[in-house]
Amino acid sequence: NAKVEVEKKYSVEEMVKKQLDYYSLVYKKFKDKKIIKDVSGFYFALPNEYKGFKIPFIWRKYIIEWSKEYIVWPHFYLVSARQILDCINTDLVNKKILDLGSTPLVSILFAMLGAEVTLVDIDDNEITKAKKLAEYFGVKNKVNIVKEDLFKVKYDNEFDIVYNCGVIEHFKNSIEIIKIMRKAVKPNGLVICLVPYFLTLHTLFIRWYIRLKRGYNWDWMGKERSYTLKQLKDEFILANLDVVYASVGNVARNLCDDYIINFFVNRFPFPKIAKRIVYKMLNKIDFLESHTFLKKIGFMCLVCGKKYE
């Protein structure tokens, strides 16, 4: 019996299979580390552990792999997540979060950090993206995806946090959206909005130039505008929210605007080298943003208000 067992357990076929499996595992770990090393510009955007939040490696890896094709936008989502986590600054386990006008990749991260997330959007592309990401990251049970006009939602005192990113600046009645967000959040809950900051290359020159040449893609929802921090705070106050936090972030997206960078990389004789230079630039700028006054000239401004009854 011992002889039979040994011949079966340690047969050539079985041992070769185990060896191949082990080689595959080692190579996968090496490849993951190589991806991070090659795209080192994303190290400071949102580290593996940030203010007590352990950022899942699979989420960061997904963004980094995506960045091989689209240089600046993946970095934008990393920094947007960081800006929101800065003002939340609390454990997300079992917290109920509403993303009104959805930013799927950021909301999926919140679900991975333990929150129960509801995403509301009227755009079929964003709905499909959210469903795919929820399945890919294994958080379908933590994510509720709703196709609805944000002006028609009926939520009332249901969520701990209600937020959106890059939404209200497209609507003339943006204060009404903030009021809808306030209604949806529980007493002492947080309402958070991220909007384009006024003092950026994109706001001052690039958006104007694109509109002049061929039409600005993001205007399909309504003509996008930019904010000062005071303007955004004033809208929160008019919506009967107490402002408890405000910030400007993402200097890299300001200085390394994707339209400029894509123009540069696509015309460079060695695109791989050009991309690596860009990633290094992003890394340096992210580091400087965390340690200097540069955060004051970021790409997005954020205001967080608290609902008191």
Side-chain angles (χ1 to χ4, degrees):
N1 286 342
K3 181 174 182 291
V4 170
E5 181 67 18
V6 168
E7 287 176 344
K8 178 182 174 183
K9 192 173 180 179
Y10 298 103
S11 66
V12 172
E13 292 81 2
E14 192 64 28
M15 294 307 294
V16 168
K17 181 179 179 302
K18 287 183 178 179
Q19 195 166 3
L20 287 173
D21 289 344
Y22 187 75
Y23 284 157
S24 297
L25 181 64
V26 171
Y27 175 70
K28 183 178 181 298
K29 287 185 176 179
F30 164 78
K31 190 179 176 185
D32 288 346
K33 288 180 180 178
K34 191 173 186 301
I35 288 168
I36 299 294
K37 186 178 178 183
D38 287 348
V39 195
S40 57
F42 288 158
Y43 179 76
F44 288 108
L46 186 59
N48 285 323
E49 187 166 340
Y50 186 71
K51 292 197 170 183
F53 296 101
K54 292 188 184 300
I55 308 303
F57 178 76
I58 187 174
W59 187 81
R60 292 184 78 249
K61 180 189 169 191
Y62 176 89
I63 292 184
I64 289 168
E65 286 181 325
W66 176 32
S67 74
K68 292 176 179 177
E69 301 299 326
Y70 306 93
I71 294 171
V72 177
W73 272 105
H75 176 273
F76 171 83
Y77 289 114
L78 283 164
V79 181
S80 296
R82 184 186 73 195
Q83 247 185 300
I84 296 168
L85 291 174
D86 265 337
C87 69
I88 292 174
N89 202 25
T90 185
D91 190 358
L92 292 184
V93 175
N94 297 325
K95 290 284 192 299
K96 292 187 71 176
I97 297 179
L98 172 62
D99 180 357
L100 195 62
S102 68
T103 308
L105 201 52
V106 175
S107 286
I108 291 298
L109 171 62
F110 297 158
M112 296 174 80
L113 292 173
E116 297 174 19
V117 181
T118 298
L119 297 94
V120 175
D121 209 304
I122 202 164
D123 184 354
D124 285 323
N125 290 328
E126 293 301 305
I127 294 288
T128 301
K129 187 194 300 181
K131 287 178 178 177
K132 286 182 177 177
L133 288 170
E135 187 166 352
Y136 178 83
F137 289 110
V139 289
K140 283 173 67 176
N141 63 323
K142 305 285 284 184
V143 174
N144 178 32
I145 301 165
V146 179
K147 184 179 180 183
E148 182 61 277
D149 185 327
L150 63 84
F151 288 100
K152 294 179 180 177
V153 296
K154 303 295 183 185
Y155 302 116
D156 192 357
N157 293 322
E158 293 184 39
F159 297 93
D160 299 294
I161 299 162
V162 179
Y163 90 96
N164 56 38
C165 177
V167 174
I168 67 169
E169 69 271 16
H170 294 280
F171 299 91
K172 290 181 180 178
N173 52 347
S174 52
I175 296 173
E176 291 306 310
I177 300 174
I178 301 172
K179 286 180 178 177
I180 292 168
M181 297 170 75
R182 183 189 183 280
K183 186 179 180 185
V185 79
K186 297 175 184 176
N188 296 315
L190 301 179
V191 173
I192 301 166
C193 287
L194 282 92
V195 296
Y197 193 47
F198 81 105
L199 194 62
T200 71
L201 293 175
H202 196 90
T203 294
L204 297 174
F205 306 109
I206 296 168
R207 186 199 290 152
W208 168 83
Y209 177 76
I210 295 168
R211 278 180 179 149
L212 193 68
K213 296 294 285 185
R214 62 177 184 272
Y216 189 65
N217 179 56
W218 298 106
D219 283 346
W220 71 268
M221 289 185 284
K223 193 170 183 180
E224 183 181 275
R225 65 189 189 280
S226 299
Y227 280 78
T228 65
L229 263 181
K230 184 181 183 307
Q231 286 171 333
L232 189 55
K233 286 179 181 178
D234 287 346
E235 291 198 359
F236 268 61
I237 292 166
L238 288 170
N240 198 24
L241 286 161
D242 288 357
V243 174
V244 295
Y245 184 90
S247 70
V248 179
N250 203 346
V251 179
R253 175 68 174 81
N254 186 351
L255 304 179
C256 302
D257 189 275
D258 53 311
Y259 290 97
I260 297 173
I261 295 302
N262 287 336
F263 180 90
F264 166 69
V265 169
N266 292 336
R267 285 159 181 77
F268 199 82
F270 305 103
K272 284 189 176 180
I273 297 174
K275 283 185 179 183
R276 194 161 292 188
I277 291 170
V278 169
Y279 293 137
K280 294 291 184 185
M281 286 170 59
L282 292 172
N283 202 19
K284 297 292 184 188
I285 294 169
D286 283 331
F287 176 77
L288 290 171
E289 178 181 352
S290 301
H291 296 86
T292 70
F293 66 93
L294 285 179
K295 65 181 69 177
K296 299 295 183 184
I297 56 170
F299 186 74
M300 298 289 280
C301 61
L302 174 151
V303 167
C304 173
K306 184 172 269 194
K307 173 182 176 179
Y308 292 111
E309 291 290 358

